[in-house]
Structure formats: structure tokens, C-alpha cells
Amino acid sequence: MTETTWKPVVAWSKPEEERAGTPLLVAFHGYLSHEMDLLGLAPLLPAEFTIASVRAPRAMGPGFTWFPLMHEPDFSIEKVTRSVADVWAWLDTVRGNHSSVTLLGFSMGMAVATSALRHRPRDVAAVVGLSGFAVPDDGDPFFDDAGTLAARTPLFWGRGQEDQVITPDKIQYTHDWATEHTDLTKMLYAGLQHSISQAEMGHVGEFLRAKVLAP
């Protein structure tokens, strides 16, 4: 069987001629969303970054998804790792043009971002997770948590106190994993539901300046 290379739909914050040498921030949208969703955050992020907002591979309902929801019968870790492997195959075609790679994900997109970190921790400068979670690895060797622990990559994890979408078991797993394996900055926003606030984006900007741009 011939191996195919995934060519995702990507929305860029800068034209191609302005990207060389800039830090790259790759954005992964949430369940049933699309690549234009997170590109709207660009004005709230440090202007030094080139943002690449990537469309998930699987069409579903009004948008796209990275893999089935964890409570659905067709969910499997293999489907998560296949999606993340495709992300890295694409990333390897563009990352050489940039000074660093940072990953940002909202909701299910945070699961993609953290899984991508866990697969190749030394290739990621930082991760921003918004209203999301990390996927339990079930011992799959795709997840290099020993390497992730050694790298201690900076992770910003922000979520709303009133978020009813991300279940307590996912929050607890993510808290335990992130606390042990990353340089964690954790923020909880009063009154915020399953969304992103302007105050949160201000904190994300501070995090990116301190952890990616300053070094």
C-alpha cells in the first residue's frame, strides 16, 4: 500500500514572504470547529509569532474533528496517535523555516497539542492549552513521557471555573500529568465557561514572551 502524506488546510497569520525566521505557533481547534476559529486570536498574541491554524482531518457535522470523542465506541488511542503523527509529518515540512515551534490547542485541540509534545518533546518550545485536556496514554510507546519529563517544556493551561464540557476525570488526569511532566503555569478563570477570555489571552501573551521570546 502506498503511504499518503496528509496535506492539511492551514490558515496563516502572515504571508509566506514574512514568515522566515519567525517563531511558529501552530493552533489546533476544538471538536466540530475549523481552522479559521483560532486565527481570530492572532491580534491578541505577540506579533513576533507566525500563526498556522490547522484544520482537523476528519469532517463531522458543521466542522471537523481530530479523532472521535473519548466516550464514543470508535475512540482509540491509535486514532489519536495517527492524527498526531500526521501533524508531525506536516510540521516537519515547515518548521525548518522558523526559529521555534510552539503548540496551542483549544478543547480537543489541547489534546492534540499535548500529545504532539509527548511524542517529540525536544522539538517543542512551549505549549498553550485552553479549556482542554491531555489524553491518557494507556502505555502506548508513541507517548515519550520520559523524554517529556526530561525536557520540562513550559505549558500554559487555562480553563474556566464554569466549564461544563471537560469532565472531572479529564481535568484530574491532565493536572496530574502536567504537574509531573511539564513546567506548568495553571490558570483558573472565575465565571468563564467552555470558552476563551480576553484576560486569559493577556496571560497567554505574557507566558509566550517569557517562555519563548525572552530566552
Side-chain angles (χ1 to χ4, degrees), residues 130-151:
L130 307 174
S131 300
F133 60 97
V135 175
D137 57 74
D138 292 345
D140 192 302
F142 184 87
F143 297 85
D144 180 13
D145 273 353
T148 306
L149 176 61

Side-chain angles (χ1 to χ4, degrees), residues 124-188:
V124 178
V127 175
V128 174
L130 307 174
S131 300
F133 60 97
V135 175
D137 57 74
D138 292 345
D140 192 302
F142 184 87
F143 297 85
D144 180 13
D145 273 353
T148 306
L149 176 61
R152 282 280 179 187
T153 304
L155 168 65
F156 179 97
W157 179 26
R159 64 184 187 87
Q161 199 168 28
E162 304 304 321
D163 190 340
Q164 302 298 310
V165 173
I166 307 303
T167 53
D169 59 314
K170 293 185 181 71
I171 293 170
Q172 187 62 55
Y173 175 82
T174 304
H175 171 80
D176 293 344
W177 169 80
T179 300
E180 180 179 352
H181 292 89
T182 72
D183 174 15
L184 178 62
T185 299
K186 183 180 178 183
M187 301 294 293
L188 184 64

